[in-house]
Structures are given as C-alpha cells and as structure tokens.
Amino acid sequence: MMKLTQADFQQRRDRLVEKMGPHSIAIIATSPVAYRNRDADYKFRADSSFYYLTGFAEPEAVAVIETFESAEDYSYSLFCRERNREMEIWNGYRAGIDGAIADYEADEAYAIDLLDEEILDKLLNKQRLYYRIGHQADFDARVSQWIKQADAQQRRGNGAPAQVIQLDRILDEMRLIKSAQEIELMQIASEISAEAHTRAMQTVHPGMMEYALEAELNYVFGKNGCVPSYNSIVGGGANACILHYVENNQMLKNGDLVLIDAACEYECYASDITRTFPVNGKFSPEQKALYEIVLQAQLAAIDAVKIGNAYREPHEVAVRILTQGLLDLGLMKGDLEDLLEAEAYRQFYMHGTGHWLGMDVHDVGAYKQEGEWRPYQEGMVVTVEPGLYIAPDDETVEEKWRGIGIRIEDDVVATINGPRVLTAAVVKTVQDIEHLMAQAQA
C-alpha cells in the first residue's frame, strides 16, 4: 500500500519556511506519552502536525526549523531519543541520532536531553519565533524560559525573537488542503473502513452484544494494519440517540436499528463512516420512513460540497430536507420557513452536518474567514453526516417513533469535477442494505 516518502515531508517543510520568512525559527514538539493507568501507557501516536512535517513517529521528539538570510536557506534539526540497548530491549528500537539524519533527513540531530542546552543558540538573533502556543502547558513553560534566557543576552549584542507567532495559523491552513497523495491515503483508510462496516452488516444478529459487533470492526482494521480513528460507537436501539455513545455494552435486540460510527486511520490519515441498519436485516415502516429522509438529506448535502459553495451550505440543504420530512410525517407542525428560522429541528437533529477530515478525525482548519463561512476549495475533505434522533422519552411524538436514532456519514473531497465520495464502497440505501444482509443470512 501507499506510503509517504521523506521527499513528501521535505516539501512540506519547504512550504512552511516560505511562509516563515528569513531570520525565523519554528519549534514543534510531538505528543507526550499518555498513561492509561498505573505502569500502563496508551499506544503512542505522534502529534499530527509534528508528524506532518517530519514523518517521525517516536515519542520525546522536537523539530526545529531555522531560516537565515532567505527562506530558501534553512536548517532542519531533530531532537530525539538516543539509541539505548537496554531500553530498546524493553520498549523497541529507536532511530537515534544517526537514524534521524540518515532515515529522516534532518540536517542536524541531537539527543532530546540536550534540547535546553542547544536551543538557545538557535533562538538568538532570530526576528520571529513560530510556536504552537497553548498545546502543552509544560512545553509552553520551557519555551518561555528559553525566551527569558535569550533576552538576558541583550548586553552581549544578542536577543530573543521580537515576535512570537502562533504556528498553527500556518500549519492548519497547510493541512486543510490535501495533496493527491494525502487523498489517496484517505481513500485507502476509507475502503478499509467500508469493508469493516460491510462485515458488521453481514455478521450482526439479534442477541449479539454491541461490543461483539465492535470486535468485528476492529478485526478488519487490525488485519489491514490500522487502528480506529476514534472511539467506535455501536449503539443499538435507543442508544443510537446518544450522539457519543461508546459504552457498547448492551444486547442488540430484534426489531431495533444499530448505529455504527466507526472508522480507521491509515498512515495517520483518518476516515469517518456512520451507517445505521436493522439488527434483523429488515427495516420497520417507521424506521424506513425516517431513514429515507436522512438519506435524501445526505445525498443532497453531498451534492452541495462543490468548489465555491460556502462550507455551511451542505448543512443548510440538509436541515431543510430533514425539517420538511418531519413535517410530512407529522412529527413537526407549522410553517417550514418559520421552523427553519427557529431551528425547531434541533429537537431531532442537534449537531452540524460535517467537519474537516484529515490527519485528525476532527481536522484542523478555520471554518470561517473574516466572519464568513469559507468556500470549498479543491482538496478540502469534509464529512457529511445528517441524522435524526427521536428520544425514547419524547412524549411530543407518537410512541412508534420513539427511540429511533439514525445517522448516515460519508467522507467527501471537493474536486473540480464535483464531490468525490471516498467511502462509497459501503452500501447505504434501504434496498442495498436489506439485500446485503439477506445474502449474509441465507
């Protein structure tokens, strides 16, 4: 399968320094190790922006990029863990100082323990410091101390950068527009996730536990060398009305729907899929009626992901169709325009219709520019995920509707040829879902 090369990461650093300008320095740290409980840590996952620039996946690492007389004249340094035979026996091999240069194309490499000692010379006499302010409180304190130390050298003719600039403002915009290679990685992640959802439809049955169905998803992710992009949601029946339900510990019942919001990441690029389908393979009339409204809203919202359209347009398209559908079924009453203006639909649809997608499942990038929803550009990737959730205790509707939760979500790229659905490999029409599940049960 496809992987990014060091040339790809270097191109990103080249683009960054063009925006930094001369006599500047950028400092970016990876994620800290996170502990699950006593003596047990979570599997390490590099900070997305750090990895975006370096391709370096080990913990305890800091990248430093310096520009000199011109933007083209720059140096890339990587501070990382040294090779240590005893620690490698316990925790795995490390690139070390030599590997940072040979395998990750750093111009200079240092032991991470030397960061406080070496960084001062790099900071001195720079005009601008680009740094991700506010991400890690401990690292913020270290950076503040380095600036104080640099300021203390003013009598020697040296000094700290006059400007400290939020590095995320540059990196977030760089990451928002995906390259062809990035989209291909997301396509791979999407296809693996689609396979997992297909397997879930084929294996589900009444009496199965939600966590057992989650295990079917994780099997497909794992056999393809992937991990979940986020905590999987497997909500049967009324659990589907809890937007971030992750307990996944209840039995799936005959006659209920199950909502699965789950996907994997491949090479640090995420996918994000939601499908809702009947546990017994057959939609009830009420389930089908609500599902068809959500599907109609989703298809129209996907079609609105077009270059030049405002980011918010898919949501506006979706809520209009959802509200009209609720009116048609008698779950809402009143004038369509009045209901939309009052956002009355929020009783049954209380979240947005999508978010940026990339290295993070809720990816970086501003949604507005100068107070206005930004237009779609080629290479932006967004989720499209309308839903309807009829709370089990909602006495404003007939009992037959209560406890039904439905969401349908796909990943969509804005292209010059219109929206491209990365996650199209998993079925979503009522007919296709029922046909797939019937085949599996035969």
Side-chain angles (χ1 to χ4, degrees):
M1 286 189 176
M2 177 191 170
K3 294 180 182 289
L4 295 175
T5 68
Q6 281 304 308
D8 296 312
F9 297 110
Q10 181 177 338
Q11 288 174 6
R12 294 169 177 177
R13 296 192 292 270
D14 292 345
R15 288 169 54 206
L16 173 61
V17 298
E18 287 176 3
K19 299 176 185 296
M20 288 169 54
H23 303 293
S24 298
I25 183 170
I27 302 173
I28 182 167
T30 195
S31 305
V33 172
Y35 288 91
R36 182 183 184 276
N37 56 355
R38 180 179 173 85
D39 295 333
D41 50 12
Y42 286 104
K43 185 176 181 180
F44 181 74
R45 203 279 198 178
D47 174 86
S48 294
S49 287
F50 174 87
Y51 187 85
Y52 180 83
L53 290 174
T54 66
F56 193 76
E58 294 183 19
E60 298 182 69
V62 173
V64 178
I65 299 173
E66 302 173 73
T67 64
F68 303 105
E69 294 298 327
S70 69
E72 292 77 20
D73 180 20
Y74 78 91
S75 175
Y76 160 49
S77 301
L78 188 58
F79 290 80
C80 61
R81 302 175 303 178
E82 293 185 275
R83 297 291 305 274
N84 181 307
R85 180 171 175 78
E86 182 176 355
M87 293 304 297
E88 287 179 287
I89 289 172
W90 284 95
N91 297 320
Y93 296 113
R94 303 174 174 184
I97 308 307
D98 292 339
I101 294 172
D103 300 330
Y104 295 92
E105 299 188 0
D107 298 309
E108 299 177 332
Y110 305 86
I112 189 65
D113 295 340
L114 298 178
L115 178 59
D116 291 330
E117 177 182 333
E118 296 290 341
I119 198 66
L120 189 59
D121 284 343
K122 296 180 179 296
L123 273 172
L124 290 175
N125 300 317
K126 293 293 192 298
Q127 296 174 359
R128 290 169 294 275
L129 165 61
Y130 291 85
Y131 168 67
R132 304 179 71 207
I133 302 165
H135 277 267
Q136 299 177 33
D138 291 347
F139 202 73
D140 283 349
R142 291 178 73 181
V143 173
S144 296
Q145 187 61 35
W146 297 337
I147 292 172
K148 288 180 181 179
Q149 291 174 341
D151 270 336
Q153 296 206 19
Q154 286 184 359
R155 293 182 181 178
R156 302 178 188 177
N158 298 316
Q163 292 179 285
V164 179
I165 301 170
Q166 176 60 279
L167 179 59
D168 283 341
R169 292 183 180 178
I170 299 176
L171 288 181
D172 289 1
E173 288 300 300
M174 288 174 60
R175 285 176 51 190
L176 178 58
I177 308 298
K178 274 65 179 181
S179 67
Q181 294 94 328
E182 290 177 290
I183 292 171
E184 183 58 31
L185 291 173
M186 295 179 73
Q187 181 69 75
I188 293 170
S190 296
E191 290 173 0
I192 294 168
S193 296
E195 180 187 344
H197 278 263
T198 300
R199 183 181 179 93
M201 292 181 190
Q202 293 170 324
T203 57
V204 69
H205 57 82
M208 190 178 196
M209 299 299 291
E210 291 168 342
Y211 54 71
L213 194 55
E214 181 183 6
E216 299 291 341
L217 301 164
N218 289 335
Y219 168 72
V220 177
F221 299 159
K223 77 170 186 175
N224 286 285
C226 297
V227 296
S229 304
Y230 51 93
N231 291 327
S232 298
I233 297 169
V234 182
N239 291 336
C241 297
I242 303 170
L243 299 183
H244 290 162
Y245 173 79
V246 294
E247 285 75 14
N248 302 346
N249 60 5
Q250 299 300 305
M251 182 179 291
L252 298 167
K253 299 176 183 177
N254 188 38
D256 280 349
L257 296 176
V258 57
L259 184 155
I260 296 181
D261 187 340
C264 68
E265 67 173 36
Y266 174 78
E267 292 291 307
C268 290
Y269 281 84
S271 54
D272 190 0
I273 301 178
T274 305
R275 291 293 186 267
T276 309
F277 50 93
V279 173
N280 63 12
K282 191 72 175 177
F283 287 87
S284 73
E286 291 77 21
Q287 293 166 351
K288 180 178 179 180
L290 289 171
Y291 189 93
E292 294 286 15
I293 295 170
V294 176
L295 181 58
Q296 181 186 359
Q298 201 230 12
L299 293 173
I302 289 172
D303 192 53
V305 181
K306 294 179 179 176
I307 294 173
N309 280 1
Y311 164 79
R312 191 71 168 177
E313 189 157 337
H315 179 72
E316 293 170 351
V317 167
V319 296
R320 178 172 289 275
I321 294 172
L322 293 172
T323 305
Q324 182 62 63
L326 292 167
L327 280 169
D328 293 342
L329 292 179
L331 276 77
M332 296 181 72
K333 291 179 172 58
D335 177 73
L336 175 62
E337 299 302 330
D338 291 343
L339 293 169
L340 288 170
E341 184 176 356
E343 296 186 343
Y345 54 82
R346 291 184 64 84
Q347 178 181 354
F348 306 111
Y349 179 48
M350 59 294 294
H351 60 79
T353 302
H355 52 78
W356 302 135
L357 183 69
M359 297 186 76
D360 297 318
V361 70
H362 287 179
D363 208 29
V364 295
Y367 290 91
K368 286 187 173 182
Q369 293 177 319
E370 298 180 355
E372 300 293 330
W373 295 109
R374 71 188 304 163
Y376 287 103
Q377 298 171 247
E378 184 174 12
M380 289 180 172
V381 184
V382 66
T383 64
V384 179
E385 49 181 305
L388 287 173
Y389 314 91
I390 317 300
D393 59 352
D394 189 343
E395 296 183 357
T396 68
V397 301
E398 294 180 66
E399 186 174 356
K400 65 181 180 179
W401 302 109
R402 298 176 198 167
I404 299 176
I406 297 166
R407 183 165 64 253
I408 308 170
E409 177 182 20
D410 283 297
D411 306 339
V412 184
V413 186
T415 79
I416 58 174
N417 298 315
R420 171 185 166 188
V421 180
L422 297 175
T423 46
V426 55
V427 298
K428 61 182 177 182
T429 68
V430 168
Q431 180 179 358
D432 287 344
I433 289 172
E434 290 186 343
H435 178 70
L436 175 67
M437 297 183 73
Q439 283 185 318
Q441 295 168 4

